[in-house]
Amino acid sequence: MSAAQRVLLCPTTMGLLLQSLFLLLLFLLCSCLHPATAFPKGCYPSEEEGLKTFRCSNAQLTEVPRDIPNDTNKLYLDFNQIPFLPRDAFRDLPLLLELDLSHNAIARVESGAFQGLAEHLHSLDLSSNRLVSVSKDTFSNLKAKVNLSNNPWLCDCGLQELIRAVELAADTSGGIVCDSSTQEEHVGKAFLQVIADTDFCNVYKKTTDIAMLVTMFGWFAMVISYLVYYVRQNQEDARRHLEYLKSLPSKQRQSEESSTISTVV
């Protein structure tokens, strides 16, 4: 390559480098001015029927995402592997109307998990999870219609109180089935069918009352036994002392007897 050609190529190369550097700086500047929202993989926002929707269905999530737009109206977290719902999990979503948590691995819901949703939420789907027992206080002040079907419920007083505290979604009550129960004959039956004939809370109260009576009777029997033992022991000691006095000489015996009588009186 001749010297003249090298002279012509150098300015061209320098120009390309300067142009590339300018474009890089422009990209970085735009990124700073308009930062991209980083949604979890498999999640995306959309608009359905005029409502702002955020879908994370089948996104292999193991926890509730934190970067959900706070103006979301409908949130789909179904078909994931979320194991539990912590307190204040949805507190930054004041406009949420529908929440779908079905087909997860939820086995525990902390008290206050739905705090902040009482005003607007009207649909909550917790079906097809691993719920065995949930405190009724978890849904305190919540007006949403709740789907609790297809969970391995323990049928007891706690579940009975929970069902009375929430409004079940239409046509879902038949899916609340006793996977286990305080009474074995109820396993495999629909819970609402069972409580039509059985009051779990009343049975629990009777059992508790009986247990208290048995405990009180046991303590009473122990006190009586101790008193009987104490009286018999004193009688035995008195008898031995009298026999001892009889074996003493006459004057000393009379003195001891007088002392014993005085003590008894």
Side-chain angles (χ1 to χ4, degrees):
M1 181 180 295
S2 65
Q5 288 176 326
R6 284 198 297 271
V7 171
L8 290 173
L9 280 174
C10 285
T12 304
T13 304
M14 289 297 294
L16 290 173
L17 289 173
L18 289 173
Q19 185 179 5
S20 299
L21 182 60
F22 174 76
L23 291 174
L24 178 61
L25 290 173
L26 183 62
F27 173 78
L28 292 174
L29 180 61
C30 290
S31 297
C32 293
L33 293 175
H34 304 284
T37 303
F39 296 128
K41 184 179 179 181
C43 300
Y44 61 92
S46 64
E47 189 166 326
E48 300 178 5
E49 300 177 352
L51 297 175
K52 293 186 177 181
T53 303
F54 194 73
R55 286 190 175 273
C56 289
S57 302
N58 200 19
Q60 299 183 353
L61 299 176
T62 56
E63 63 180 3
V64 177
R66 298 180 181 179
D67 299 321
I68 303 172
N70 56 16
D71 60 349
T72 299
N73 302 128
K74 299 170 70 174
L75 176 59
Y76 292 89
L77 299 174
D78 51 318
F79 289 96
N80 286 289
Q81 292 92 44
I82 300 173
F84 81 103
L85 301 178
R87 182 180 179 86
D88 294 326
F90 308 99
R91 68 176 180 179
D92 296 326
L93 302 173
L95 303 179
L96 199 61
L97 301 174
E98 297 182 17
L99 176 57
D100 190 347
L101 291 160
S102 63
H103 297 89
N104 273 278
I106 301 171
R108 182 165 60 93
V109 182
E110 291 187 355
S111 179
F114 305 111
Q115 188 170 324
L117 301 181
E119 292 298 323
H120 297 91
L121 192 69
H122 63 72
S123 177
L124 172 60
D125 194 344
L126 285 166
S127 63
S128 300
N129 277 283
R130 299 177 184 174
L131 296 172
V132 176
S133 179
V134 178
S135 170
K136 65 177 181 178
D137 296 333
T138 303
F139 302 95
S140 179
N141 299 322
L142 204 62
K143 301 175 183 178
K145 294 182 179 179
V146 185
N147 185 353
L148 298 172
S149 61
N150 299 320
N151 282 281
W153 291 109
L154 165 63
C155 291
D156 61 356
C157 180
L159 181 58
Q160 182 171 316
E161 290 182 338
L162 172 64
I163 297 300
R164 288 175 176 173
V166 301
E167 182 179 357
L168 296 177
D171 302 322
T172 65
S173 60
I176 303 175
V177 178
C178 301
D179 187 73
S180 58
S181 175
T182 52
Q183 299 181 33
E184 191 65 28
E185 65 270 20
H186 298 146
V187 174
K189 295 181 180 179
F191 185 67
L192 292 189
Q193 175 186 349
V194 170
I195 60 175
D197 302 318
T198 304
D199 188 338
F200 283 92
C201 296
N202 190 42
V203 170
Y204 175 77
K205 184 177 182 301
K206 287 182 178 179
T207 303
T208 304
D209 291 345
I210 292 173
M212 290 181 63
L213 286 173
V214 170
T215 302
M216 291 175 63
F217 178 78
W219 279 106
F220 182 74
M222 289 177 62
V223 171
I224 295 298
S225 298
Y226 176 77
L227 290 175
V228 171
Y229 169 78
Y230 180 79
V231 171
R232 288 182 176 178
Q233 187 66 29
N234 284 348
Q235 288 178 342
E236 182 66 20
D237 290 342
R239 185 183 63 78
R240 289 176 181 176
H241 188 64
L242 289 174
E243 289 180 352
Y244 167 74
L245 292 177
K246 290 178 182 180
S247 65
L248 293 175
S250 177
K251 291 183 179 181
Q252 185 178 359
R253 183 172 65 245
Q254 289 176 358
S255 176
E256 291 286 346
E257 286 177 351
S258 299
S259 177
T260 302
I261 292 171
S262 298
T263 302
V264 172
V265 173

